[in-house]
Amino acid sequence: MNARERLIVGLDVPTLGEAEKIVSTLGDDILFYKIGYQLVFAGGLEFACDLAQDGKKIFLDMKLLDIDNTVASGVENIVKMGMSMLTLHAYPKAMKAAVEAANGSDLCLLGVTVLTSMDEQDLIAAGYEYDPHTLVLRRAEQALLAGMGGVVCSAEESAAVRKIVGPDMAIVTPGIRPAGSEKGDQKRVMTPADALKAGSSHLVVARPIVKAPDPKEAARGILAEMETAL
């Protein structure tokens, strides 16, 4: 895969109008987009289907978690939408149900390990007994055993996760910040080049592109940096 197939631009904006403007501005430079809660609840699901029909790849970031039957039913309908990637929390039963529901399709299921906005104190407050690194590796192994297409983790854990999941599974990393960018609410971040070198297969970048004065220039700069690392 080249950089264009690996860069996922997060459409983390509040309205369809803003999302449409970003996609129009970026044009053919960007192939892959992430659509999450913010845009989904503003009509983003139909927009996601439209983009997929136009030849774009869509990473639907829903972080599903529910009883097995509900997860499976949701995945079955998402397969019909033509999405390329879908996230669910990396709980073994949920992952198993999702894998069975997506069997035979091209949908890449991603297990979310530990959110990149969380550090050890956040996990302790949430009642977990593991530090972020340990929990990420545990969930990566469970995702592999469940037959998932990949995992979502911080680029800081990419190298260790790659050793567990092998060369074929996707490792999708948010919290990507070009040198000099603000971290925002992310706590475990890395530059695009360093993330790829560490073992990430796909990079999710939102604010450094969508909030840039010139999103197209920002996207091209990140793609160029990624190419140097490939």
Side-chain angles (χ1 to χ4, degrees):
M1 294 184 293
N2 58 31
R4 186 169 171 268
E5 294 170 300
R6 295 172 180 266
L7 176 61
I8 303 172
V9 174
L11 292 175
D12 297 338
V13 292
T15 68
L16 282 178
E18 290 176 76
E20 290 168 349
K21 183 179 179 181
I22 291 167
V23 172
S24 177
T25 297
L26 296 176
D28 291 336
D29 286 354
I30 298 301
L31 171 67
F32 222 140
Y33 287 99
K34 176 181 78 74
I35 292 179
Y37 289 143
Q38 185 178 27
L39 198 58
V40 160
F41 296 133
L45 287 180
E46 185 175 351
F47 182 56
C49 292
D50 290 342
L51 288 178
Q53 289 176 358
D54 288 340
K56 300 295 186 182
K57 301 181 74 172
I58 303 300
F59 168 16
L60 194 60
D61 189 18
M62 296 304 295
K63 300 182 180 69
L64 301 180
L65 180 61
D66 212 308
I67 63 173
D68 298 357
N69 184 64
T70 300
V71 168
S73 297
V75 170
E76 287 171 359
N77 278 337
I78 291 169
V79 165
K80 298 173 186 176
M81 293 168 61
M83 301 295 97
S84 295
M85 287 180 167
L86 170 70
T87 52
L88 56 148
H89 282 289
Y91 285 60
K93 287 189 69 181
M95 291 191 291
K96 182 176 183 293
V99 168
E100 291 175 356
N103 185 42
S105 76
D106 294 328
L107 179 64
C108 178
L109 295 171
L110 302 171
V112 177
T113 55
V114 176
L115 299 177
T116 53
S117 62
M118 300 182 75
D119 58 19
E120 186 168 3
Q121 291 305 311
D122 295 320
L123 289 181
I124 290 172
Y128 288 96
E129 61 179 297
Y130 301 104
D131 62 88
H133 185 79
T134 302
L135 184 55
V136 166
L137 299 189
R138 178 180 175 85
R139 287 182 165 172
E141 185 174 8
Q142 291 170 333
L144 175 66
L145 293 173
M148 296 282 283
V151 297
V152 180
C153 67
S154 162
E156 291 183 358
E157 288 107 26
S158 288
V161 168
R162 182 59 72 194
K163 291 180 181 178
I164 291 173
V165 303
D168 297 327
M169 282 180 67
I171 297 180
V172 180
T173 52
I176 300 299
R177 293 291 185 269
S181 296
E182 294 292 331
K183 287 186 177 182
D185 59 357
Q186 303 285 8
K187 295 182 179 178
R188 294 166 16 252
V189 302
M190 192 174 286
T191 66
D194 287 342
L196 290 175
K197 291 175 182 176
S200 299
S201 62
H202 297 77
L203 311 182
V204 179
V205 182
R207 276 168 284 188
I209 292 177
V210 302
K211 299 298 184 183
D214 187 339
K216 195 176 188 74
E217 180 182 2
R220 286 179 172 177
I222 291 171
L223 286 168
E225 181 182 344
M226 292 170 66
E227 289 289 359
T228 65
L230 293 173

